[in-house]
Amino acid sequence: MSTIGRKLMQVWTGFGTRYLPFADAATPELPLSRLLRLSLFQITVGMAVTLLVGTLNRVMIVELGVPATIVAVMVALPLLFAPFRALIGFKSDNHQSALGWRRVPYIWKGTLLQFGGFAMMPFALLVLSGGGESGHLPPWIGQLGAAIAFLLVGAGMHTVQTVGLALATDLAEPEARPKVVGLMYVMLLVGTIVSAFFFGWILVDFTPGRLIQVIQGAALTTMILNVIALWKQESRFPRRGAQRRDDDPSFLEAWRHFVGSGDQVVRRLLTIGLGTAAFTMEDVLLEPYGGEVLGMAVGETTRLTATLALGGLFGFGLASRVLSRGMDPFRMACYGALVGIPAFVLVIIAAPLNSPLVFAAGVALIGFGGGLFGHGTLTATMNMAPPNQAGLALGAWGAVQATAAGLGMALGGILRDVVQALVNDHPLTHWISVPATGYVVVYVIELGLLFATLAAMVPLIGRTLRRAPA
């Protein structure tokens, strides 16, 4: 490395140590420079989330004219792979390889899936919209192509994130693992913010050709950053991975042990699901809401994703500081749900006020509350994981969270279309037939889910136990 390169790395790591949440997770065995390089896989996941949940759903609904129901289902398809995250984490824990790698093969396969999905996605979307010569093709061709592309990206994204977090856990000392995982999620938000601003800038003047360039550029960037992140991170132990041992537990045995470990594991997972659905049901609707109801441009609504991520970043930072002083993680998660209540009220009243500023404030608060909630449940999961099951616990947390998010987003889009159709066609409700009606109904349902989350979480406060070192 050149002298200039070394100085730049020293500046970057020095900045990170002072200002990044969880930066104190660095140790002499695992310096911050190596942690930040490993965290590049989270940058690519954040970029994929921005494209799928932020930019593409707005472009498909407004610019390409695809019905919101189809868009919601397409955006939710990647999350169908989420229930397998616990299985993926378990498999990578026990992967048998003559090379002695456990995590690297799974991360590489996930990267290839992401790349393939992004490579075919822009053309599938153009066929789905019926533009140009594709208007002569049967509709199912575009729908099938888009579904395959979204599924490939989803499978790769969940594989990379689950196994990448497990690799980070392997590299860290037991007492530093929760902070290391927290740093990984902060970098996920950083990737979301940076890519949201970049996509918003490059798509100010939208054309189908530019959309193709953006998505295929994301495919290439994913491949490059993930290879850099993996380079010389995992040590090889051929004896460890050459063959399976008879005493290795099966996935079902490990899962039964995890669920039966006490401390209300099922209630914790249910709470994570309810709260995640409450904070993500509107994800597929925020940008269309800004464009259709408030008249915001593509670049402006894409920057809403950055606003949401910035709020989440501040939430993670505050939660990190407070939880490090011994606060109960479930109490922090409750505070996050409480913040979400006024956030959705602001989003709802932005329509009658016709105020993009009020809308943006509500979006920022949604991100802030979601950050508090996510950090609280993540910390509780790590603290209460049984010995030698941190990877499975992370997989279960991610599986429930991502599944709830996918179902919530799909249900949000479907409810919006159904409600809007009912108020438009029924004579008794025609008087409330305005573009905001379907969106507002979804936001009110999310308020109800937040209250249900609080009711389910209150009994968990004070029950967090520190995980014994493996």
Side-chain angles (χ1 to χ4, degrees):
M1 183 181 294
S2 65
T3 303
I4 296 177
R6 284 195 297 269
K7 289 183 178 179
L8 288 175
M9 182 59 69
Q10 290 172 359
V11 171
W12 170 240
T13 55
F15 175 85
T17 304
R18 291 187 59 187
Y19 298 109
L20 280 179
F22 305 101
D24 55 349
T27 62
E29 295 79 14
L30 187 61
L32 187 60
S33 58
R34 186 179 178 187
L35 267 177
L36 291 175
R37 182 165 63 85
L38 177 61
S39 70
L40 290 176
F41 79 87
Q42 286 286 68
I43 299 290
T44 66
V45 172
M47 180 175 60
V49 170
T50 300
L51 265 179
L52 298 184
V53 179
T55 304
L56 288 182
N57 83 81
R58 151 69 197 245
V59 168
M60 291 168 70
I61 292 175
V62 180
E63 274 68 34
L64 299 181
V66 180
T69 297
I70 294 179
V71 174
V73 172
M74 289 296 173
V75 174
L77 278 176
L79 297 171
L80 290 178
F81 204 80
F84 298 100
R85 288 179 64 139
L87 177 61
I88 292 170
F90 170 79
K91 288 291 187 181
S92 69
D93 284 340
N94 299 277
H95 182 63
Q96 309 302 316
S97 169
L99 294 176
W101 276 329
R102 296 185 302 166
R103 315 296 188 188
V104 169
Y106 283 89
I107 299 177
W108 178 241
K109 291 176 184 177
T111 300
L112 292 178
L113 290 172
Q114 280 182 275
F115 180 86
F118 279 138
M120 67 179 295
M121 184 177 292
F123 306 104
L125 293 182
L126 294 177
V127 174
L128 178 65
S129 68
E133 295 297 326
S134 64
H136 302 291
L137 298 175
W140 65 267
I141 293 180
Q143 295 169 1
L144 179 62
I148 292 174
F150 276 81
L151 279 173
L152 286 175
V153 173
M157 183 173 62
H158 289 297
T159 302
V160 167
Q161 187 177 55
T162 300
V163 183
L165 290 175
L167 176 58
T169 304
D170 292 341
L171 297 176
E173 295 297 323
E175 62 274 8
R177 285 172 184 170
K179 293 182 180 179
V180 168
V181 174
L183 174 61
M184 295 295 113
Y185 269 87
V186 168
M187 298 309 293
L188 172 69
L189 294 176
V190 171
T192 302
I193 294 167
V194 173
S195 58
F197 278 117
F198 178 76
F199 295 148
W201 168 70
I202 203 171
L203 290 174
V204 169
D205 298 320
F206 174 82
T207 62
R210 185 157 292 185
L211 178 66
I212 293 173
Q213 293 173 344
V214 167
I215 299 178
Q216 292 193 331
L220 181 61
T221 303
T222 296
M223 180 67 72
I224 294 173
L225 292 184
N226 282 357
V227 169
I228 295 174
L230 278 179
W231 191 257
K232 293 186 177 180
Q233 293 284 8
E234 184 180 23
S235 301
R236 295 176 55 212
F237 294 97
R239 293 181 180 179
R240 178 192 64 191
Q243 59 184 352
R244 179 179 175 85
R245 298 180 302 178
D246 294 335
D247 59 346
D248 286 342
S250 66
F251 172 71
L252 290 179
E253 292 171 342
W255 179 256
R256 290 193 191 101
H257 176 67
F258 172 66
V259 174
S261 61
D263 302 314
Q264 303 191 51
V265 172
V266 175
R267 176 183 281 271
R268 286 192 280 123
L269 295 178
L270 175 64
T271 300
I272 292 169
L274 284 174
T276 301
F279 277 110
T280 58
M281 206 171 163
E282 87 296 332
D283 276 2
V284 76
L285 300 176
L286 283 179
E287 294 200 28
Y289 181 76
E292 185 176 358
V293 178
L294 300 175
M296 301 171 70
V298 175
E300 292 175 325
T301 56
T302 299
R303 284 191 288 270
L304 287 174
T305 303
T307 302
L308 188 71
L310 278 171
L313 183 60
F314 281 113
F316 263 86
L318 177 62
S320 172
R321 181 177 297 273
V322 176
L323 288 174
S324 64
R325 298 173 181 173
M327 182 178 184
D328 183 89
F330 286 119
R331 189 179 298 276
M332 177 61 68
C334 281
Y335 288 155
L338 288 172
V339 169
I341 294 172
F344 282 106
V345 171
L346 288 176
V347 170
I348 291 171
I349 66 174
L353 294 177
N354 193 27
S355 174
L357 182 60
V358 172
F359 179 46
V363 171
L365 278 180
I366 291 174
F368 181 72
L372 297 180
F373 177 84
H375 192 300
T377 55
L378 172 62
T379 302
T381 299
M382 291 300 299
N383 288 347
M384 303 178 75
N388 302 317
Q389 285 193 319
L392 180 60
L394 274 172
W397 179 84
V400 172
Q401 187 190 52
T403 302
L407 294 176
M409 283 190 289
L411 185 60
I414 293 171
L415 283 176
R416 182 265 173 193
D417 279 359
V418 170
V419 171
Q420 200 65 44
L422 288 176
V423 298
N424 288 342
D425 298 337
H426 201 284
L428 296 179
T429 57
H430 188 70
W431 62 278
I432 57 172
S433 178
V434 295
T437 303
Y439 297 103
V440 169
V441 169
V442 175
Y443 301 148
V444 171
I445 292 174
E446 289 182 284
L447 284 173
L449 287 174
L450 286 174
F451 284 110
T453 301
L454 288 169
M457 199 186 311
V458 167
L460 296 174
I461 295 176
R463 297 182 62 89
T464 306
L465 301 176
R466 290 285 175 183
R467 175 173 57 86

